[in-house]
Amino acid sequence: MLQLPHQPLQVAAVPPQRAPAREDEAGPWHAEAVCRRDEAGLFFAPSKEPTAARLAREAAAKRVCGRCPVMVECREHALLQPEPYGVWGGLTAAERRVALARRRRREVELRKASATDRIAQAG
Ligand code: SF4
């Protein structure tokens, strides 16, 4: 079975279904992930983590992501799944929700602009 990057050793908030069902869903980028063994537990929150500790842990995880050769692939994977927990591709779960909302808004605007163009060309 494919090993995910930063597979948590002890996980409080991460459900077991976070593992992709098939290797082609996960992509070959996993092999180059620098967080393959998250021994420091940086990428997922333990239960009842205080805010200051969470912010420090997430900042440390993002520093790891910053030197990861597959950050773009990882981020896109986490956005497409979407991965609901943890730091992926240098983004927290909250940051990914914002990124996804922006992406959806942009897609709606592009569809509207495209429809407007078609109407203008037909008229
Ligand atoms: S970008 Fe971050 S979370 Fe993704 S594989 Fe690299 S180190 Fe892991």
Side-chain angles (χ1 to χ4, degrees):
M1 182 178 178
L2 178 71
Q3 183 183 5
L4 284 169
H6 60 267
Q7 191 79 13
L9 297 178
Q10 51 177 357
V11 178
V14 180
Q17 68 269 21
R18 74 177 286 274
R22 301 190 329 261
E23 186 168 347
D24 59 347
E25 285 178 321
W29 56 270
H30 281 169
E32 296 179 55
V34 299
C35 62
R36 284 185 70 84
R37 293 188 61 81
D38 178 24
E39 286 161 356
L42 294 178
F43 292 85
F44 293 96
S47 62
K48 299 180 182 171
E49 183 179 41
T51 301
R54 175 179 58 79
L55 294 174
R57 179 186 51 74
E58 289 174 346
K62 288 179 178 188
R63 284 193 294 276
V64 175
C65 294
R67 59 183 168 80
C68 180
V70 293
M71 187 171 81
V72 172
E73 293 87 343
C74 174
R75 180 177 294 185
E76 197 58 24
H77 162 84
L79 289 170
L80 288 176
Q81 285 302 304
E83 296 287 356
Y85 304 105
V87 173
W88 292 77
L91 296 178
T92 64
E95 291 166 340
R96 289 194 303 277
R97 284 193 294 276
V98 170
L100 279 173
R102 281 194 189 126
R103 185 178 283 188
R104 288 188 194 112
R105 270 198 307 276
R106 204 167 40 246
E107 287 170 358
V108 167
E109 287 166 9
L110 286 172
R111 275 199 297 274
K112 282 183 187 170
S114 176
T116 303
D117 284 350
R118 282 196 304 274
I119 290 168
Q121 288 170 0

